[in-house]
Amino acid sequence: APFYSLHTWDLKLVADYANLSIPEALELPMDIFLLYLRDGFIHHCRKTPAGMEYLENCWYLEQTEPDRKRLRNRYGKEAE
């Protein structure tokens, strides 16, 4: 018998995004399932302004280097 998790929102999201049934989604290799889960979540978020804001905030939190051009435009260039 296939394993059904208590949280099936991820299965539903993958199945809907990949146009599969839930049992077909369960048969996917783990790496493909996780890729569809990521892409499906992003696709779902892009449908609303709040989702777009969430994705933008996630992108900002991933950044490790300052956006020097944006900072200079906002605060002006310091004397060198």
Side-chain angles (χ1 to χ4, degrees), residues 5-56:
S5 70
L6 295 175
H7 304 283
T8 57
W9 67 267
D10 52 347
L11 287 172
K12 176 84 168 109
L13 184 68
V14 168
D16 289 348
Y17 180 73
N19 198 24
L20 301 170
S21 67
I22 288 179
E24 289 173 326
L26 282 170
E27 295 295 323
L28 290 171
M30 181 60 77
D31 58 339
I32 302 299
F33 181 88
L34 292 174
L35 178 67
Y36 283 153
L37 181 60
R38 175 192 174 274
D39 292 348
F41 183 78
I42 291 170
H43 177 74
H44 179 74
C45 286
R46 286 186 174 167
K47 293 180 180 179
T48 65
M52 289 295 292
E53 182 180 352
Y54 174 80
L55 292 174
E56 186 175 330

